[in-house]
Amino acid sequence: MNYPETVKVVEVGPRDGLQNEKTALDTEAKLHLISQLADAGLKTIESGSFVSPKWVPQMAGSEEVFEAINSRLQPIYPNTIFSALTPNDFGMARAIECGVKEVAVFAAASESFSQKNINCSIKESLERFVPVMKKAYSSKIPVRGYVSCVLGCPYEGSIDPRQVAIVTQELLDMGCYEVSLGDTIGIGTPASTSTLLTSLLSSIPASKLAMHMHDTYGQALANILISLQMGISVFDSAVAGLGGCPYAKGASGNVATEDLIYMLDGLAIEHGVEMQKLLQASTAISLKLNRNNGSKVSYAYSST
Ligand code: HMG
Ligand code: MG
């Protein structure tokens, strides 16, 4: 079986995770988590979100988080990318104002999810990204894209891979350097992941795609394994399996970073993350949030 020699892990716990935790953390607590993750060797950390604080209160105050990142963390971790979500021009202006160096825009492959998540159609969302891309281009800020509901939608059920391909291609055409495919409700299986990727890879190179697998049905690692076998080498994950999605009821967090790292170690795939430091971050944030640790690997290590 062919596997990539190295994999890029995009840590989304401080954004995708914390946006859906009941306990909203203050800036210092967020910064502590982000610094522990950077110290563990994670090189891309999605650290906040410039969305409406009325819609996602947990992400309010992302300005303060990025100001602290720039003054306190970036000098210690000069090669780490601390990125943020931006849904529209206003979000992008907020991100630029506080010195964010990489952003992500997010669309969906499902009309109903797009309406629930960002209050507009897929077409309108792509139109909203045009000024975001313009600002990013003039400020030399790389933009990542997300497509949600690639393997199923909480409102519409199954999603045609051709619809995923259309939205993914639109995001690439408007200048996203990579598109992360979101199994927002973690409903996919290795079979549906394989069908989706077979369809996408007929027109889009694997190097332009990442996988963002929520673990609701316990399929995330299996889906990642299939994706690795099909040539994908960028994976999103959340320390301690934090989070879910505020607009996808019942969705659990992303695959836990520790579980992903453990699997990559088993496959002898390079990732650059130190497990022991990651485990410390995982334990600390679970205690802080007063929640069960969502990582099987963390649980296994803590019981031995
Ligand atoms: P809207 O209500 O349609 O926006 O929300 P609007 O343009 O009509 O503005 C309404 C109010 O929001 C105004 O304020 C604006 O200023 C304000 P008011 O006059 O009422 O006081 N506003 C903003 N405030 C701060 N920052 C902004 C901003 N934009 C407008 N950027 C909007 C549209 C997109 C803002 C809203 O729907 C929203 O914030 N949604 C949040 C969605 C979200 O964060 N979802 C979770 C992240 S996506 C995800 O988790 C999926 C992913 O992980 C992949 C996967 O798993 O599939 C990425
Ligand atoms: Mg997500």
Side-chain angles (χ1 to χ4, degrees):
M1 194 63 71
N2 275 342
Y3 288 104
E5 278 178 23
T6 57
V7 149
K8 177 175 149 190
V9 178
V10 176
E11 170 62 49
V12 297
R15 191 282 302 172
D16 198 340
L18 296 186
Q19 77 181 6
N20 204 42
E21 292 293 336
K22 279 186 217 90
T23 315
L25 297 187
D26 61 20
T27 298
E28 273 313 308
K30 287 179 182 172
L31 207 69
H32 184 63
L33 169 64
I34 296 165
S35 73
Q36 280 191 303
L37 294 168
D39 192 44
L42 286 148
K43 287 281 179 289
T44 307
I45 305 174
E46 210 171 67
S47 304
S49 184
F50 295 93
V51 297
S52 162
K54 284 186 197 142
W55 284 60
V56 186
Q58 294 90 331
M59 289 292 109
S62 282
E63 277 86 353
E64 235 179 70
V65 172
F66 277 91
E67 277 153 15
I69 284 173
N70 285 333
S71 62
R72 287 155 55 188
L73 298 188
Q74 198 74 78
I76 308 173
Y77 307 104
N79 300 322
T80 305
I81 296 165
F82 301 95
S83 60
L85 283 195
T86 50
N88 53 18
D89 198 26
F90 184 31
M92 186 64 186
R94 288 175 60 203
I96 290 176
E97 182 69 27
C98 60
V100 174
K101 304 214 170 45
E102 179 172 323
V103 298
V105 292
F106 51 106
S110 144
E111 282 297 348
S112 318
F113 186 82
S114 185
Q115 290 291 351
K116 297 267 186 207
N117 192 35
I118 46 178
N119 207 22
C120 65
S121 67
I122 297 170
K123 187 165 174 286
E124 283 163 343
S125 74
L126 296 170
E127 285 162 7
R128 284 180 187 180
F129 300 154
V130 173
V132 173
M133 301 306 295
K134 274 198 187 135
K135 278 198 169 76
Y137 185 76
S138 56
S139 305
K140 297 193 172 54
I141 294 176
V143 184
R144 191 177 200 234
Y146 278 105
V147 181
S148 287
C149 300
V150 299
L151 292 170
C153 166
Y155 313 105
E156 291 181 17
S158 60
I159 294 290
D160 189 334
R162 285 171 301 184
Q163 176 62 14
V164 180
I166 291 168
V167 181
T168 303
Q169 193 60 59
E170 294 250 16
L171 290 171
L172 292 172
D173 289 347
M174 64 171 63
C176 291
Y177 71 85
E178 158 184 298
V179 171
S180 182
L181 302 170
D183 183 9
T184 317
I185 50 170
I187 201 170
T189 64
S192 58
T193 302
S194 169
T195 303
L196 172 71
L197 284 177
T198 302
S199 168
L200 289 185
L201 292 171
S202 66
S203 57
I204 299 170
S207 59
K208 294 280 171 197
L209 299 175
M211 305 306 279
H212 177 101
M213 305 274 103
H214 284 261
D215 202 23
T216 318
Y217 292 86
Q219 303 291 300
L221 276 182
N223 296 341
I224 289 172
L225 185 65
I226 285 287
S227 311
L228 279 166
Q229 291 168 359
M230 295 182 78
I232 308 295
S233 60
V234 183
F235 297 96
D236 301 355
S237 61
V239 64
L242 294 179
C245 176
Y247 302 103
K249 206 162 171 270
S252 58
N254 263 254
V255 63
T257 309
E258 307 88 297
D259 298 7
L260 173 62
I261 295 301
Y262 185 88
M263 184 176 83
L264 294 176
D265 280 340
L267 293 166
I269 297 174
E270 188 53 50
H271 49 70
V273 181
E274 278 184 60
M275 181 65 100
Q276 286 310 321
K277 287 185 173 177
L278 184 60
L279 291 170
Q280 282 165 16
S282 177
T283 304
I285 190 62
S286 302
L287 284 171
K288 181 80 193 168
L289 293 168
N290 195 22
R291 77 193 283 280
N292 289 332
N293 195 314
S295 158
K296 290 238 180 226
V297 168
S298 275
Y299 184 71
Y301 274 106
S302 67
S303 324
T304 52

